[in-house]
Amino acid sequence: MKKILVLFAVTLGLVSCDLTTPPEIYLDYDKALSTYDGLDDATAVVYSAFRGEGWYGLYTTLYPDVMCGNCVAGVPITTGRGMNFQQWQFTKSGGFSMYGQAYANILRCNNVIFKIRNQADSYLSDEVSKQDLNNLLAECLFVRAYSYFDLVRWYGKPYVVAKAAAEGSAESLGAPTVSEDPAVSVLDKPARDKTVNNYANIVKDLKEALEVIDPSYVRADVYDTKCAVSVGAIEALLARVYQYMEEWDLAKTHATNVINSGEYEIATAEEYKTFWSNSVWDNTGEIIFGAYVSQVEGYLNSSPGGLTNPDEYGDVRVSNDWLAIMDDADVRKTMLRTNEKYPDYVWPNKYQGKDGGPIAYSSIPMIRISEMYLLRAEANYRLGDNSAATNDVNMVASNRNAKEYASVTIDDIFDERRRELAFEGHIFHDYKRLQRDLVRTDVIPGQENANVPADSKYWCMPIAESEFDVNPNLVQTPGW
């Protein structure tokens, strides 16, 4: 792992977020990726970016729940952290920063993908097979797809809105698509691609990953195998992508494949209280994929754990809006932090640290099996099978000691997702893709943007002005 971390530092230093790295720097890449071990190390590195503070380390995990009413930042404790998210105070000058991190990671993936696609024979030996290369290819395709998916859903309109938008309009645009060829991408200044093209490429990457990966493949020499690619992780992400596209038959198919794989099992109410603090998730049936963080490797100062612990920073507490939709017996409502200094407030307790260790080093859940049940419930509901939808929602509710349903509506499914996936970043995207107005009652008096209409510009992040300085072909997000 030490070798992988060193390579990560080198890679991060050589890949510019604004795609302006001089061509000669790629001589270093050619050397670093000239052997199979180099390719393997470079592939292991691509997972590390997810845990960055501007990505799943904080901004896209906990802060979306601050934005959308599951949490409140700044009362009763404030160190200033999260306040711009509480008030949706984003500008072209900054405030939301995963754009550069995602593109840096896409370039890392492309370096490996290009080598395997174009120079595969040079890596083959008695010890290295075509399948070995295909497994690395699948990993990088998965991570690249995840990176583009996050870009398009944060910076672009919902898929169905963008698809219906006028040809060439700003509303139809998502994220720039970067060439796989490093010699091209290093000089290219790509314009924003269409959102529908982004989604088509994401689906293409994930389907290819499923085709080429060995179904039994498990990345060697990692701390936690649930934080690396698997067939289940690829299928689960594909199910989510189809959900956002409102391709309900396909979403249902892939969610069902994950559920029926036998690799995952929804946590019981008792297990739900404890699996968050497991040192690794290898044997945790609830987790499909996540971002690994450890005290040895971790570098997160403002982590979800620190911000949700009143004995640490404690800026982010549970909102009364979220508490109002919870049954008292529901294990999710009982699993909260308290503090005697602030008896009227409670804090999330999903980011507990590992086996009692520092809470700053909690791993980040990105895909869980409970999400697959709720995703399939929505697909079944949209396809007109209320009985199957109800069964899927009840699978989650019954394992949380919560009220079960005789039948469900789309509002029930939305609320159950809000309960189960709270503090993990899903709620922003649920509001956005369903085009719902955000109404919050538990807010800071006098704050900006307490309520955000579904057609507000704020649902699509602005691209930082610094990106336009190096790429004049970009078009700013509508309204910014």
Side-chain angles (χ1 to χ4, degrees):
M1 185 58 70
K2 180 178 180 181
K3 177 170 63 175
I4 292 172
L5 291 175
V6 169
L7 182 59
F8 174 54
V10 172
T11 305
L12 190 58
L14 295 180
V15 177
S16 171
C17 296
D18 59 24
L19 315 183
T20 59
T21 308
E24 59 268 19
I25 209 73
Y26 280 89
L27 295 173
D28 294 310
Y29 281 117
D30 284 337
K31 182 177 181 180
L33 304 183
S34 62
T35 66
Y36 174 78
D37 285 345
L39 279 182
D40 188 46
D41 286 349
T43 301
V45 161
V46 300
Y47 299 105
S48 302
F50 284 133
R51 72 187 186 197
E53 184 176 317
W55 208 346
Y56 284 92
L58 185 60
Y59 277 33
T60 66
T61 298
L62 182 62
Y63 280 162
D65 286 70
V66 172
M67 297 170 69
C68 293
N70 283 349
C71 297
V72 175
V75 175
I77 301 172
T78 181
T79 66
R81 292 169 172 83
M83 286 299 295
N84 63 315
F85 287 85
Q86 175 71 31
Q87 304 190 69
W88 294 60
Q89 292 175 329
F90 308 109
T91 70
K92 292 179 289 185
S93 299
F96 189 80
S97 61
M98 60 84 62
Y99 186 93
Q101 293 180 57
Y103 274 109
N105 218 32
I106 288 167
L107 292 178
R108 294 184 195 105
C109 292
N110 283 348
N111 288 327
V112 176
I113 292 169
F114 185 81
K115 288 287 188 181
I116 294 174
R117 291 203 198 284
N118 294 278
Q119 301 175 24
D121 288 348
S122 68
Y123 297 101
L124 299 178
S125 67
D126 292 341
E127 291 77 31
V128 178
S129 69
K130 178 65 174 177
Q131 186 58 60
D132 292 327
L133 293 175
N134 279 342
N135 292 335
L136 302 186
L137 177 63
E139 290 186 84
C140 289
L141 288 169
F142 169 77
V143 173
R144 183 172 75 176
Y146 217 132
S147 301
Y148 273 122
F149 181 53
D150 279 348
L151 284 164
V152 72
R153 63 183 182 150
W154 277 103
Y155 290 92
K157 294 284 188 179
Y159 177 85
V160 294
V161 175
K163 185 177 180 181
E167 181 72 20
S169 67
E171 286 75 13
S172 71
L173 300 180
T177 300
V178 180
S179 172
E180 277 187 4
D181 185 345
V184 174
S185 64
V186 73
L187 297 174
D188 198 16
K189 300 182 187 299
R192 294 181 75 161
D193 205 347
K194 295 179 182 178
T195 290
V196 293
N197 290 346
N198 288 149
Y199 274 87
N201 290 332
I202 291 164
V203 168
K204 181 180 177 182
D205 276 356
L206 294 173
K207 290 173 72 173
E208 183 180 359
L210 280 177
E211 290 172 1
V212 302
I213 194 171
D214 180 345
S216 63
Y217 176 65
V218 178
R219 167 159 282 281
D221 300 323
V222 292
Y223 289 121
D224 192 337
T225 58
K226 290 290 184 71
C227 297
V229 79
S230 64
V231 169
I234 300 169
E235 289 246 40
L237 181 57
L238 191 52
R240 190 193 291 175
V241 171
Y242 281 131
Q243 177 192 35
Y244 281 56
M245 297 173 70
E246 298 190 5
E247 295 283 355
W248 299 115
D249 281 312
L250 291 167
K252 176 181 177 179
T253 294
H254 288 284
T256 299
N257 289 346
V258 178
I259 290 168
N260 291 346
S261 69
E263 296 294 324
Y264 311 100
E265 185 176 6
I266 192 167
T268 65
E270 284 302 309
E271 291 168 342
Y272 189 88
K273 298 176 184 177
T274 60
F275 79 79
W276 306 97
S277 63
N278 290 352
S279 58
V280 295
W281 285 329
D282 288 353
N283 298 312
T284 303
E286 177 69 37
I287 299 294
I288 297 174
F289 180 72
Y292 184 84
V293 183
S294 76
Q295 188 170 359
V296 174
E297 293 183 85
Y299 54 84
L300 304 179
N301 294 319
S302 299
S303 68
L307 287 178
T308 56
N309 188 333
D311 295 322
E312 300 289 337
Y313 290 134
D315 291 71
V316 177
R317 65 165 171 86
V318 177
S319 75
N320 293 326
D321 294 350
W322 187 80
L323 292 172
I325 66 170
M326 304 301 296
D327 295 333
D328 288 341
D330 192 321
V331 68
R332 296 168 295 198
K333 186 177 182 181
T334 65
M335 202 184 76
L336 301 171
R337 295 181 188 273
T338 59
N339 187 284
E340 62 182 12
K341 294 181 181 179
Y342 310 104
D344 296 330
Y345 301 98
V346 292
W347 286 260
N349 196 26
K350 283 188 173 179
Y351 303 99
Q352 304 174 2
K354 299 174 185 293
D355 294 334
I359 57 174
Y361 304 107
S362 301
S363 290
I364 311 296
M366 294 168 64
I367 312 177
R368 297 196 284 120
I369 191 64
S370 294
E371 180 197 347
M372 292 297 103
Y373 279 101
L374 295 173
L375 189 160
R376 189 172 70 174
E378 184 177 352
N380 280 321
Y381 180 87
R382 303 290 188 182
L383 294 168
D385 191 342
N386 193 280
S387 176
T390 303
N391 288 339
D392 282 335
V393 173
N394 283 339
M395 176 61 75
V396 177
S398 64
N399 279 287
R400 304 292 177 259
N401 295 336
K403 177 191 71 175
E404 295 188 42
Y405 298 83
S407 64
V408 293
T409 65
I410 194 62
D411 288 339
D412 293 328
I413 296 170
F414 177 89
D415 285 345
E416 197 58 40
R417 287 179 61 87
R418 185 173 184 178
R419 296 181 186 102
E420 177 63 22
L421 304 175
F423 326 129
E424 298 174 49
H426 292 265
I427 188 171
F428 173 91
H429 301 291
D430 284 350
Y431 269 108
K432 180 176 178 176
R433 68 182 177 83
L434 296 171
Q435 300 175 61
R436 292 189 169 211
D437 297 332
L438 172 65
V439 178
R440 295 182 287 176
T441 58
D442 187 1
V443 295
I444 299 172
Q447 76 159 72
E448 297 180 25
N449 300 312
N451 302 322
V452 184
D455 61 358
S456 170
K457 71 175 184 179
Y458 288 103
W459 293 104
C460 299
M461 294 294 112
I463 296 177
E465 289 177 334
S466 59
E467 297 294 339
F468 291 84
D469 295 338
V470 296
N471 184 358
N473 295 322
L474 290 173
V475 176
Q476 185 56 272
T477 305
W480 295 98

